[in-house]
Every structure is written in structure tokens, then in C-alpha cells.
């Protein structure tokens, strides 16, 4: 399975870079993982609603340009469907079973995802109603993808 994680912005925090690298390494025997960073749109601290729409639209265009045409797209969204780790594992297993070997997880910028990206998504996935920094979400996501593969294989993993 080929997993693409498309994210907005550059990751700078060393501890997050190291954590993500560790889980990508652990995923090596199970899947090919590619992390794609698209530039975030420079925006003033206080923006009008119209400016926020423009920022999300520009970031969304960059995200859509990186998606493979045949990818199954999972957009991370607060209002998405909440899944347990086991349910995520079943979802990934079903994709593999039915020949959907290209899976793209999309994490938006600080303002979220553009409507066009959400419309392209096959699944909107929520990790809960709390807002998490999008940089931290990368680590949480890659850990959950790793956990999903461990569950799918029936291999032990700490609780």
C-alpha cells in the first residue's frame, strides 16, 4: 500500500520531526509512506472572512495538485467521522482488499481545509472535537496509521 500524507506548512519542531520519522520507519515493512508538505499561505494575524476563504482556497489548490487521480482521499476534519483505532484498521484493510492501494491523508493548515479538498475526500476523518495544532496532528496521524497496520496483522502493540 502507498500512503501519502499531504500537509500544509513546514514542520520545524525537532521533537515532532523525530517522532514522525520513527513511525515512518516502523511503517516500512507494511507500506510505502510519503510525506508531502505544501507551502502555507502567508496571512496576517487578523483576517476578514473573505481573506480566510482566499487562504484556504490557495492552500487547497496546492493540496489538490499533489493528489493522485486514483487516490482514496481521507481528509482530517473536526466535523468528520470519528473512528476507533480498530475501525481505522478495518477501513485500511478494506481499501487494500478492494485494490485501493493509493491512500492520501490530508491535513490542512491552521484555518482548516478548503471546501474543494473536502469535496474531493472519500472520507472525512475526525480525531475528536478538540482543535490540535496541524503540526502535532501529523505525529498523531502517522502513529494511528502504524497502529492500524499492527492491528490488521494481529501483531502486539502497547495499549
Amino acid at each position: 500500500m502507498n500512503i501519502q500524507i499531504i500537509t500544509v506548512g513546514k514542520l520545524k519542531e525537532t521533537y515532532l520531526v523525530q517522532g514522525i520519522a520513527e513511525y515512518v520507519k516502523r511503517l516500512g515493512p507494511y507500506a510505502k509512506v510519503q510525506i508531502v508538505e505544501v507551502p502555507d499561505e502567508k496571512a496576517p494575524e487578523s483576517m476578514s472572512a473573505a481573506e480566510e476563504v482566499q487562504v484556504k482556497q490557495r492552500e487547497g489548490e496546492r493540496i489538490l495538485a499533489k493528489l493522485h487521480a486514483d487516490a482514496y482521499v481521507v481528509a482530517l476534519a473536526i466535523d468528520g467521522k470519528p473512528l476507533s483505532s480498530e475501525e481505522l484498521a478495518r477501513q485500511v484493510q478494506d481499501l487494500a482488499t478492494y485494490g485501493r492501494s493509493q491512500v492520501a491523508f490530508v491535513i490542512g493548515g491552521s484555518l482548516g481545509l478548503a471546501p474543494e479538498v473536502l469535496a474531493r475526500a472519500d472520507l472525512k476523518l475526525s480525531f475528536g472535537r478538540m482543535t490540535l495544532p496541524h503540526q502535532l496532528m501529523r505525529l498523531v496521524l502517522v502513529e494511528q496509521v502504524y497502529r492500524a497496520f499492527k492491528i490488521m496483522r494481529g501483531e502486539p502493540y502497547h495499549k
Side-chain angles (χ1 to χ4, degrees), residues 3 17 19 22 26 40 73 79 84 100 103 123 129 159:
I3 296 176
V17 171
E22 177 62 28
R26 291 182 187 189
D40 56 345
V73 178
D79 65 345
S84 68
R100 300 297 301 264
V103 179
L123 171 67
R129 292 181 13 198
K159 302 251 181 211

Side-chain angles (χ1 to χ4, degrees), residues 32-53:
K32 180 182 173 200
V33 178
Q34 176 190 25
I35 297 179
V36 178
E37 293 179 337
V38 299
D40 56 345
E41 188 67 22
K42 302 299 179 221
E45 198 60 37
S46 58
M47 290 182 277
S48 69
E51 288 171 320
E52 286 187 15
V53 167

Side-chain angles (χ1 to χ4, degrees), residues 50-118:
E51 288 171 320
E52 286 187 15
V53 167
Q54 286 180 336
V55 166
K56 288 199 301 189
Q57 181 182 12
R58 288 183 189 126
E59 291 174 349
E61 290 168 358
R62 293 178 189 136
I63 290 167
L64 292 170
K66 298 295 182 181
L67 290 171
H68 297 286
D70 62 342
Y72 183 90
V73 178
V74 180
L76 275 59
I78 289 176
D79 65 345
K81 182 177 183 180
L83 297 177
S84 68
S85 296
E86 293 78 13
E87 289 168 331
L88 179 61
R90 276 193 296 280
Q91 182 78 26
V92 173
Q93 181 68 53
D94 288 348
L95 291 171
T97 300
Y98 296 107
R100 300 297 301 264
S101 62
Q102 295 282 342
V103 179
F105 290 90
V106 179
I107 303 172
S110 58
L111 298 176
L113 290 167
E116 296 83 3
V117 175
L118 293 171

